[in-house]
Amino acid sequence: MKLPTSTEWVLHCATTLAQLEPGATASAKQLAEYYDLPAPYLAKQLQALVRAGVLAATTGPRGGFRLARPATGITLLQLVEAVDGAAPPYECREIRQQGRGALPPEDCRDTCILARKMGEAHDVWRRHLDGTTVADIIAELPPTVPARTRSRMASTGGR
Amino acid sequence: MKLPTSTEWVLHCATTLAQLEPGATASAKQLAEYYDLPAPYLAKQLQALVRAGVLAATTGPRGGFRLARPATGITLLQLVEAVDGAAPPYECREIRQQGRGALPPEDCRDTCILARKMGEAHDVWRRHLDGTTVADIIAELPPTVPARTRSRMASTGGR
DNA sequence: GTATTCTTACTCGGATACACGGTGTCCGAGTAACTATGG
DNA sequence: CCATAGTTACTCGGACACCGTGTATCCGAGTAAGAATAC
């Protein structure tokens, strides 16, 4: 059970985008240089965020990515599931109904208890990540960080 | 983020072993037939449970696997981490300290907030799974199941 | 000076190779039960 | 009848291929800004 490496990338990129002035954009190349990441692959992940409706992309010069919503409406869960998918990690294949020990259908009315427990654990995981927004993250950063982020990001793009 | 398919296998196998009479064993072949699973690969996973100290194995005729502890002391988390490893799914590689946007060390005293949030989510997940024992699972099964399990398992082994 | 047209350079977007870990399989070492035998 | 030695068949345990998913990369379509030009 491993999350893609790119999960960390998009979490930080979204945090960075949220620190820019409203309406400002940052290109994939800018963000890649900002964190020393492979630009083409990072772009692929940002596209996934666009498909998920978390980011908005504009093409052409001065284009790039920006948040599709205010940072208060973007949770960590939305970012994680945009790159990793929303499929639960535990997949019940109903082996209790197969083989010599197959249970009769009347004992399988309810979902398998093991599957339910695993699903509940996944739910509490999701709820925890869904309870934190990008705005909450920024609020906990040292107060000097956002201004510096804007400054450095602007100088990169030759703005 | 996907758990191995074998996770379901070991959860059900542990539940089955817990339903046997104390001291009784079941071989990998028996369990494989019981759930219609590939026997050699299942054996590999059961060996992982032995290394984790959850199961105990005895060789020779009439040998096989049995629980290493009472079912009240075996949690779902121990089973899951035995086959999947205990490494957290989110790995922080400190990209905040790399590239053009690298933060100065004085702003990195505490662990990255994003890493902390992801770690907390993993913790609640682990705690939820650690709060349910194999004994709890059996207690929620229909009352007719354990006797049938013992019967079918015994007839398989030519006991 | 202003509006218009054209060029240009920059952006995203999807299609294409590579590598690692889970999946599936196999054969060998070890052991406990069973059998036959001798006392 | 009982103890003993030998045989046997069954078990786990680790080492060996295969495949799918994430990782990394590339090039093409589209667009908005900017410059040059005509009025």
Side-chain angles (χ1 to χ4, degrees):
Chain A
M1 190 174 61
K2 201 167 71 73
L3 282 169
T5 306
S6 47
T7 307
E8 183 182 6
W9 305 356
V10 300
L11 288 177
H12 280 276
C13 285
T15 308
T16 301
L17 290 175
Q19 292 175 36
L20 301 181
E21 295 132 34
T25 62
S27 70
K29 189 180 178 184
Q30 278 180 287
L31 290 168
E33 290 179 359
Y34 196 78
Y35 287 116
D36 192 23
L37 300 175
Y41 186 40
L42 173 63
K44 183 186 179 70
Q45 307 304 327
L46 295 175
Q47 288 166 25
L49 294 190
V50 173
R51 276 193 297 273
V54 177
L55 296 188
T58 61
T59 64
R62 302 280 289 276
F65 297 92
R66 69 175 198 278
L67 298 187
R69 296 191 288 278
T72 54
I74 298 177
T75 68
L76 300 187
L77 180 66
Q78 292 164 10
L79 295 169
V80 170
E81 291 195 336
V83 296
D84 188 54
Y90 180 84
E91 182 187 1
C92 179
R93 298 192 184 177
E94 292 289 339
I95 67 172
R96 61 175 177 169
Q97 297 190 44
Q98 293 168 7
R100 181 183 207 102
L103 272 71
E106 70 240 29
D107 284 345
C108 300
R109 285 275 183 76
D110 300 341
T111 59
C112 177
I113 303 175
L114 291 166
R116 208 180 68 207
K117 291 289 181 185
M118 296 300 292
E120 288 172 3
H122 186 53
D123 284 340
V124 300
W125 181 82
R126 292 182 76 249
R127 257 192 289 274
H128 192 87
L129 292 183
D130 206 38
T132 304
T133 70
V134 175
D136 297 331
I137 296 296
I138 294 178
E140 292 199 40
L141 290 175
T144 63
V145 170
R148 182 172 54 207
T149 300
R150 279 193 292 272
S151 166
R152 286 187 180 175
M153 190 59 72
S155 64
T156 305
R159 168 177 284 271
Chain B
M1 189 174 60
K2 202 166 72 73
L3 282 169
T5 307
S6 47
T7 308
E8 182 182 6
W9 304 356
V10 301
L11 288 177
H12 280 276
C13 284
T15 307
T16 301
L17 289 175
Q19 293 175 34
L20 302 181
E21 296 132 32
T25 63
S27 70
K29 189 180 177 184
Q30 278 179 288
L31 290 167
E33 289 179 0
Y34 196 79
Y35 288 115
D36 192 22
L37 301 175
Y41 187 39
L42 173 64
K44 183 187 180 71
Q45 307 305 329
L46 295 175
Q47 288 164 26
L49 295 190
V50 172
R51 276 193 296 273
V54 176
L55 297 188
T58 60
T59 64
R62 301 282 288 276
F65 297 93
R66 69 175 197 279
L67 298 187
R69 295 191 288 277
T72 54
I74 298 177
T75 69
L76 300 187
L77 179 66
Q78 293 165 10
L79 295 169
V80 171
E81 291 196 335
V83 295
D84 188 54
Y90 180 84
E91 182 187 0
C92 179
R93 298 191 183 178
E94 293 289 338
I95 66 172
R96 61 174 177 169
Q97 298 190 43
Q98 292 167 8
R100 182 184 208 103
L103 272 70
E106 69 240 31
D107 284 346
C108 299
R109 285 276 184 75
D110 299 340
T111 57
C112 177
I113 302 175
L114 291 166
R116 208 180 69 207
K117 290 290 181 185
M118 296 300 291
E120 288 172 3
H122 186 53
D123 284 341
V124 301
W125 181 82
R126 292 182 78 248
R127 257 192 288 275
H128 192 87
L129 292 182
D130 207 38
T132 305
T133 69
V134 174
D136 297 332
I137 297 296
I138 294 179
E140 292 199 40
L141 290 175
T144 63
V145 170
R148 182 173 54 209
T149 300
R150 278 193 292 271
S151 165
R152 286 187 180 175
M153 189 59 72
S155 64
T156 305
R159 169 177 284 272

mmCIF file of all heavy atoms in Angstrom, chain A residues 9-35:
data_model
loop_
_atom_site.group_PDB
_atom_site.id
_atom_site.type_symbol
_atom_site.label_atom_id
_atom_site.label_comp_id
_atom_site.label_asym_id
_atom_site.label_seq_id
_atom_site.Cartn_x
_atom_site.Cartn_y
_atom_site.Cartn_z
ATOM 1 N N TRP A 9 4.158 15.825 -4.556
ATOM 2 C CA TRP A 9 4.320 16.931 -5.501
ATOM 3 C C TRP A 9 3.055 17.770 -5.586
ATOM 4 O O TRP A 9 3.103 19.006 -5.478
ATOM 5 C CB TRP A 9 4.666 16.407 -6.886
ATOM 6 C CG TRP A 9 5.868 15.521 -6.938
ATOM 7 C CD1 TRP A 9 6.717 15.203 -5.906
ATOM 8 C CD2 TRP A 9 6.363 14.829 -8.073
ATOM 9 N NE1 TRP A 9 7.696 14.371 -6.332
ATOM 10 C CE2 TRP A 9 7.511 14.113 -7.661
ATOM 11 C CE3 TRP A 9 5.964 14.733 -9.407
ATOM 12 C CZ2 TRP A 9 8.251 13.331 -8.540
ATOM 13 C CZ3 TRP A 9 6.704 13.952 -10.278
ATOM 14 C CH2 TRP A 9 7.822 13.268 -9.852
ATOM 15 N N VAL A 10 1.919 17.106 -5.809
ATOM 16 C CA VAL A 10 0.696 17.881 -6.033
ATOM 17 C C VAL A 10 0.242 18.562 -4.743
ATOM 18 O O VAL A 10 -0.315 19.665 -4.795
ATOM 19 C CB VAL A 10 -0.426 16.994 -6.598
ATOM 20 C CG1 VAL A 10 0.004 16.401 -7.921
ATOM 21 C CG2 VAL A 10 -0.858 15.948 -5.627
ATOM 22 N N LEU A 11 0.487 17.963 -3.601
ATOM 23 C CA LEU A 11 0.121 18.632 -2.354
ATOM 24 C C LEU A 11 0.900 19.933 -2.216
ATOM 25 O O LEU A 11 0.330 20.989 -1.903
ATOM 26 C CB LEU A 11 0.402 17.710 -1.161
ATOM 27 C CG LEU A 11 -0.545 16.517 -0.984
ATOM 28 C CD1 LEU A 11 -0.104 15.644 0.187
ATOM 29 C CD2 LEU A 11 -1.973 16.982 -0.789
ATOM 30 N N HIS A 12 2.188 19.879 -2.452
ATOM 31 C CA HIS A 12 2.990 21.090 -2.322
ATOM 32 C C HIS A 12 2.645 22.092 -3.428
ATOM 33 O O HIS A 12 2.610 23.301 -3.177
ATOM 34 C CB HIS A 12 4.477 20.730 -2.354
ATOM 35 C CG HIS A 12 5.000 20.218 -1.049
ATOM 36 N ND1 HIS A 12 5.418 21.048 -0.036
ATOM 37 C CD2 HIS A 12 5.160 18.963 -0.570
ATOM 38 C CE1 HIS A 12 5.818 20.328 0.997
ATOM 39 N NE2 HIS A 12 5.678 19.053 0.701
ATOM 40 N N CYS A 13 2.429 21.597 -4.640
ATOM 41 C CA CYS A 13 2.104 22.523 -5.737
ATOM 42 C C CYS A 13 0.786 23.236 -5.461
ATOM 43 O O CYS A 13 0.667 24.452 -5.697
ATOM 44 C CB CYS A 13 2.042 21.761 -7.058
ATOM 45 S SG CYS A 13 3.674 21.309 -7.710
ATOM 46 N N ALA A 14 -0.195 22.514 -4.990
ATOM 47 C CA ALA A 14 -1.471 23.150 -4.687
ATOM 48 C C ALA A 14 -1.296 24.190 -3.585
ATOM 49 O O ALA A 14 -1.868 25.283 -3.643
ATOM 50 C CB ALA A 14 -2.492 22.089 -4.267
ATOM 51 N N THR A 15 -0.498 23.866 -2.584
ATOM 52 C CA THR A 15 -0.230 24.830 -1.521
ATOM 53 C C THR A 15 0.436 26.079 -2.081
ATOM 54 O O THR A 15 0.096 27.210 -1.699
ATOM 55 C CB THR A 15 0.673 24.189 -0.451
ATOM 56 O OG1 THR A 15 0.091 22.955 -0.031
ATOM 57 C CG2 THR A 15 0.838 25.108 0.731
ATOM 58 N N THR A 16 1.360 25.867 -2.990
ATOM 59 C CA THR A 16 2.044 27.007 -3.597
ATOM 60 C C THR A 16 1.085 27.862 -4.405
ATOM 61 O O THR A 16 1.073 29.098 -4.300
ATOM 62 C CB THR A 16 3.183 26.499 -4.493
ATOM 63 O OG1 THR A 16 4.096 25.737 -3.702
ATOM 64 C CG2 THR A 16 3.921 27.666 -5.142
ATOM 65 N N LEU A 17 0.260 27.214 -5.242
ATOM 66 C CA LEU A 17 -0.691 27.965 -6.052
ATOM 67 C C LEU A 17 -1.637 28.775 -5.168
ATOM 68 O O LEU A 17 -2.031 29.891 -5.512
ATOM 69 C CB LEU A 17 -1.491 27.010 -6.945
ATOM 70 C CG LEU A 17 -0.712 26.359 -8.090
ATOM 71 C CD1 LEU A 17 -1.583 25.348 -8.817
ATOM 72 C CD2 LEU A 17 -0.196 27.407 -9.048
ATOM 73 N N ALA A 18 -1.971 28.218 -4.019
ATOM 74 C CA ALA A 18 -2.898 28.914 -3.131
ATOM 75 C C ALA A 18 -2.278 30.155 -2.510
ATOM 76 O O ALA A 18 -2.997 31.035 -2.030
ATOM 77 C CB ALA A 18 -3.365 27.959 -2.029
ATOM 78 N N GLN A 19 -0.948 30.229 -2.529
ATOM 79 C CA GLN A 19 -0.283 31.395 -1.941
ATOM 80 C C GLN A 19 -0.153 32.546 -2.921
ATOM 81 O O GLN A 19 0.211 33.657 -2.538
ATOM 82 C CB GLN A 19 1.112 30.983 -1.440
ATOM 83 C CG GLN A 19 1.070 30.035 -0.254
ATOM 84 C CD GLN A 19 2.459 29.547 0.148
ATOM 85 O OE1 GLN A 19 3.432 30.286 0.073
ATOM 86 N NE2 GLN A 19 2.545 28.286 0.567
ATOM 87 N N LEU A 20 -0.411 32.279 -4.216
ATOM 88 C CA LEU A 20 -0.309 33.352 -5.208
ATOM 89 C C LEU A 20 -1.500 34.292 -5.083
ATOM 90 O O LEU A 20 -2.508 33.972 -4.442
ATOM 91 C CB LEU A 20 -0.253 32.746 -6.609
ATOM 92 C CG LEU A 20 0.905 31.775 -6.868
ATOM 93 C CD1 LEU A 20 0.861 31.273 -8.304
ATOM 94 C CD2 LEU A 20 2.242 32.416 -6.548
ATOM 95 N N GLU A 21 -1.370 35.437 -5.712
ATOM 96 C CA GLU A 21 -2.506 36.357 -5.707
ATOM 97 C C GLU A 21 -3.643 35.764 -6.523
ATOM 98 O O GLU A 21 -3.400 35.017 -7.475
ATOM 99 C CB GLU A 21 -2.073 37.696 -6.328
ATOM 100 C CG GLU A 21 -1.032 38.417 -5.506
ATOM 101 C CD GLU A 21 0.121 38.899 -6.375
ATOM 102 O OE1 GLU A 21 -0.155 39.243 -7.520
ATOM 103 O OE2 GLU A 21 1.264 38.901 -5.888
ATOM 104 N N PRO A 22 -4.890 36.070 -6.166
ATOM 105 C CA PRO A 22 -6.041 35.488 -6.877
ATOM 106 C C PRO A 22 -5.946 35.770 -8.369
ATOM 107 O O PRO A 22 -5.668 36.898 -8.780
ATOM 108 C CB PRO A 22 -7.251 36.170 -6.244
ATOM 109 C CG PRO A 22 -6.781 36.624 -4.906
ATOM 110 C CD PRO A 22 -5.318 36.945 -5.059
ATOM 111 N N GLY A 23 -6.161 34.741 -9.185
ATOM 112 C CA GLY A 23 -6.119 34.908 -10.624
ATOM 113 C C GLY A 23 -4.755 34.646 -11.230
ATOM 114 O O GLY A 23 -4.650 34.383 -12.426
ATOM 115 N N ALA A 24 -3.697 34.734 -10.446
ATOM 116 C CA ALA A 24 -2.358 34.483 -10.971
ATOM 117 C C ALA A 24 -2.187 33.011 -11.310
ATOM 118 O O ALA A 24 -2.808 32.139 -10.695
ATOM 119 C CB ALA A 24 -1.310 34.917 -9.938
ATOM 120 N N THR A 25 -1.337 32.734 -12.288
ATOM 121 C CA THR A 25 -1.096 31.355 -12.692
ATOM 122 C C THR A 25 0.382 31.029 -12.575
ATOM 123 O O THR A 25 1.227 31.921 -12.546
ATOM 124 C CB THR A 25 -1.543 31.121 -14.144
ATOM 125 O OG1 THR A 25 -0.762 31.967 -14.994
ATOM 126 C CG2 THR A 25 -3.012 31.433 -14.324
ATOM 127 N N ALA A 26 0.659 29.738 -12.528
ATOM 128 C CA ALA A 26 2.040 29.254 -12.550
ATOM 129 C C ALA A 26 2.089 28.082 -13.520
ATOM 130 O O ALA A 26 1.229 27.199 -13.472
ATOM 131 C CB ALA A 26 2.493 28.826 -11.157
ATOM 132 N N SER A 27 3.083 28.081 -14.394
ATOM 133 C CA SER A 27 3.176 27.016 -15.382
ATOM 134 C C SER A 27 3.827 25.784 -14.770
ATOM 135 O O SER A 27 4.463 25.841 -13.712
ATOM 136 C CB SER A 27 3.996 27.483 -16.575
ATOM 137 O OG SER A 27 5.351 27.610 -16.201
ATOM 138 N N ALA A 28 3.655 24.658 -15.466
ATOM 139 C CA ALA A 28 4.263 23.413 -14.978
ATOM 140 C C ALA A 28 5.774 23.564 -14.894
ATOM 141 O O ALA A 28 6.398 23.068 -13.943
ATOM 142 C CB ALA A 28 3.883 22.260 -15.909
ATOM 143 N N LYS A 29 6.355 24.258 -15.863
ATOM 144 C CA LYS A 29 7.803 24.434 -15.848
ATOM 145 C C LYS A 29 8.240 25.227 -14.613
ATOM 146 O O LYS A 29 9.213 24.875 -13.942
ATOM 147 C CB LYS A 29 8.234 25.182 -17.118
ATOM 148 C CG LYS A 29 9.726 25.241 -17.316
ATOM 149 C CD LYS A 29 10.076 25.988 -18.592
ATOM 150 C CE LYS A 29 11.576 26.101 -18.769
ATOM 151 N NZ LYS A 29 11.927 26.900 -19.962
ATOM 152 N N GLN A 30 7.509 26.294 -14.308
ATOM 153 C CA GLN A 30 7.831 27.076 -13.115
ATOM 154 C C GLN A 30 7.800 26.207 -11.856
ATOM 155 O O GLN A 30 8.733 26.210 -11.053
ATOM 156 C CB GLN A 30 6.821 28.208 -12.957
ATOM 157 C CG GLN A 30 7.097 29.439 -13.808
ATOM 158 C CD GLN A 30 6.034 30.498 -13.579
ATOM 159 O OE1 GLN A 30 4.903 30.345 -14.043
ATOM 160 N NE2 GLN A 30 6.379 31.551 -12.875
ATOM 161 N N LEU A 31 6.708 25.482 -11.694
ATOM 162 C CA LEU A 31 6.566 24.660 -10.494
ATOM 163 C C LEU A 31 7.656 23.589 -10.437
ATOM 164 O O LEU A 31 8.179 23.274 -9.361
ATOM 165 C CB LEU A 31 5.183 24.014 -10.465
ATOM 166 C CG LEU A 31 4.028 24.993 -10.220
ATOM 167 C CD1 LEU A 31 2.689 24.331 -10.504
ATOM 168 C CD2 LEU A 31 4.072 25.510 -8.786
ATOM 169 N N ALA A 32 7.995 23.023 -11.601
ATOM 170 C CA ALA A 32 9.025 21.981 -11.617
ATOM 171 C C ALA A 32 10.356 22.548 -11.152
ATOM 172 O O ALA A 32 11.061 21.924 -10.348
ATOM 173 C CB ALA A 32 9.144 21.397 -13.021
ATOM 174 N N GLU A 33 10.708 23.734 -11.641
ATOM 175 C CA GLU A 33 11.960 24.341 -11.188
ATOM 176 C C GLU A 33 11.888 24.718 -9.712
ATOM 177 O O GLU A 33 12.878 24.629 -8.991
ATOM 178 C CB GLU A 33 12.259 25.598 -12.014
ATOM 179 C CG GLU A 33 12.651 25.287 -13.451
ATOM 180 C CD GLU A 33 12.921 26.553 -14.244
ATOM 181 O OE1 GLU A 33 12.776 27.654 -13.668
ATOM 182 O OE2 GLU A 33 13.236 26.443 -15.441
ATOM 183 N N TYR A 34 10.694 25.099 -9.300
ATOM 184 C CA TYR A 34 10.537 25.548 -7.916
ATOM 185 C C TYR A 34 10.837 24.429 -6.923
ATOM 186 O O TYR A 34 11.334 24.682 -5.839
ATOM 187 C CB TYR A 34 9.110 26.062 -7.725
ATOM 188 C CG TYR A 34 8.921 26.897 -6.481
ATOM 189 C CD1 TYR A 34 9.334 28.218 -6.441
ATOM 190 C CD2 TYR A 34 8.346 26.359 -5.347
ATOM 191 C CE1 TYR A 34 9.167 28.987 -5.301
ATOM 192 C CE2 TYR A 34 8.174 27.119 -4.195
ATOM 193 C CZ TYR A 34 8.578 28.426 -4.184
ATOM 194 O OH TYR A 34 8.419 29.185 -3.064
ATOM 195 N N TYR A 35 10.524 23.189 -7.316
ATOM 196 C CA TYR A 35 10.744 22.046 -6.401
ATOM 197 C C TYR A 35 11.780 21.066 -6.949
ATOM 198 O O TYR A 35 11.963 19.989 -6.372
ATOM 199 C CB TYR A 35 9.426 21.306 -6.157
ATOM 200 C CG TYR A 35 8.474 22.067 -5.269
ATOM 201 C CD1 TYR A 35 7.247 22.511 -5.739
ATOM 202 C CD2 TYR A 35 8.808 22.319 -3.946
ATOM 203 C CE1 TYR A 35 6.380 23.200 -4.913
ATOM 204 C CE2 TYR A 35 7.945 23.008 -3.124
ATOM 205 C CZ TYR A 35 6.728 23.442 -3.612
ATOM 206 O OH TYR A 35 5.865 24.118 -2.791
#
